Amino acid sequence: MHNEDLLYVEDAKKRKLFYRFTPAAIASNFVPLIVILDDEGKAQERHFEHKMWNVLTPLDNFGYENKGSCWLGEKGDFFVKDLLQHLIHEIAEEYECEDHIYMYGSSMGGYGAILHGILCKANAVYAHAPYIRLQETNNANTAQKNFYDSIFNESISKENDLTNFLNPIDAFPIFYLCDDGTADENCLEDEMTYFLDACKKNDIKVDLDHCAKLGNDGTQTVKEVLNFFERMASGA
């Protein structure tokens, strides 16, 4: 990982969130922004370009062993969340795509995609095998415990449970939640059902039936997700 090759945004305490941004190759009156959030353990920049999409790929190298902080921060100080929100709004305003923001993430990145999609009022979120509740398991191993302990302090945080951000009043993205069978099926099913029920309770659109065809190739996966978003937006 070579942070010197990346762009960054920093806060008043000089903490830097590194990222790569590639504007769409073709100028158009409608150029949406896709924000790609990798899951834990993948602290490496994803270089992806698309002719019809502005592409933002931030890098969460904070937390335990620099494996990520669920796009939140460390020890209850959620500076990563604040930095990423600032970055999304800054780019969306500069490229005039405030009304056309889409999020994609997997696993912990799926958690981040849902959270930040809500906060930036994205159009849609595609979350693959997302975590919904953090620190919920009682049988966490040492690595998992260290991972979560590096993010949270002893106080109960709203960010522990994504359903805390849902309500029947505000506008929300359309949530596309998917699983390819690679995650713990029982745990994932419980999480997705839990989030689905909360969305229904608050009259928020959520879809578990339409999934992009994902593979092991990261670049191809992103292309499939973008194609999926385009098909859903067109009603195809």
Side-chain angles (χ1 to χ4, degrees):
M1 178 175 61
H2 301 287
N3 285 347
E4 64 271 16
D5 296 332
L6 303 173
L7 303 170
Y8 67 84
V9 60
E10 66 179 353
D11 62 15
K13 294 184 179 180
K14 303 299 182 181
R15 294 174 294 196
K16 298 177 180 179
L17 178 67
F18 290 91
Y19 68 94
R20 186 184 298 277
F21 175 71
T22 307
I26 298 177
S28 170
N29 292 330
F30 172 72
V31 179
L33 170 66
I34 178 70
V35 183
I36 303 168
L37 304 183
D38 278 320
D39 64 358
E40 80 283 4
K42 294 182 180 179
Q44 57 184 348
E45 65 273 21
R46 185 198 295 274
H47 190 187
F48 179 81
E49 299 178 0
H50 196 283
K51 63 182 181 180
M52 295 298 295
W53 287 76
N54 297 312
V55 181
L56 173 61
T57 52
L59 172 63
D60 180 4
N61 57 0
F62 297 94
Y64 179 62
E65 295 183 343
N66 301 116
K67 290 184 177 180
S69 66
C70 297
W71 304 95
L72 290 173
E74 298 176 336
K75 295 297 183 182
D77 179 2
F78 298 144
F79 62 91
V80 175
K81 180 181 76 171
D82 295 338
L83 282 169
L84 182 52
Q85 281 301 300
H86 172 77
L87 178 61
I88 292 173
H89 287 291
E90 186 178 69
I91 289 178
E93 182 177 358
E94 180 177 352
Y95 287 84
E96 299 181 346
C97 52
E98 300 99 319
D99 297 326
H100 307 288
I101 300 174
Y102 294 78
M103 309 289 300
Y104 165 70
S106 177
S107 187
M108 289 299 180
Y111 168 93
I114 293 173
L115 173 64
H116 287 277
I118 293 172
L119 296 178
C120 75
K121 300 186 183 302
N123 297 67
V125 173
Y126 186 104
H128 170 247
Y131 283 71
I132 303 301
R133 291 169 286 188
L134 306 179
Q135 295 183 301
E136 192 68 17
T137 179
N138 292 320
N139 60 348
N141 58 38
T142 301
Q144 289 175 318
K145 185 177 186 302
N146 289 337
F147 180 80
Y148 288 124
D149 285 349
S150 70
I151 299 170
F152 298 99
N153 55 24
E154 295 180 356
S155 301
I156 300 298
S157 168
K158 180 179 181 180
E159 284 77 6
N160 283 96
D161 185 336
L162 287 175
T163 66
N164 290 332
F165 290 86
L166 305 180
N167 65 69
I169 300 173
D170 295 326
F172 286 87
I174 299 175
F175 297 109
Y176 297 101
L177 308 183
C178 297
D179 169 39
D180 59 4
T182 59
D184 184 323
E185 292 185 4
N186 293 329
C187 178
L188 178 61
E189 182 178 356
D190 289 344
E191 290 292 280
M192 292 175 66
T193 299
Y194 175 71
F195 189 75
L196 174 63
D197 290 344
C199 286
K200 288 182 176 179
K201 179 180 177 181
N202 290 283
D203 197 26
I204 297 169
K205 292 182 179 179
V206 59
D207 190 329
L208 277 68
D209 298 323
H210 295 86
C211 292
K213 183 179 179 181
L214 305 183
N216 295 324
D217 185 317
T219 298
Q220 185 60 34
T221 292
V222 174
K223 289 181 180 178
E224 291 291 343
V225 170
L226 295 185
N227 289 338
F228 173 83
F229 279 143
E230 290 172 354
R231 291 197 305 272
M232 292 302 102
S234 67

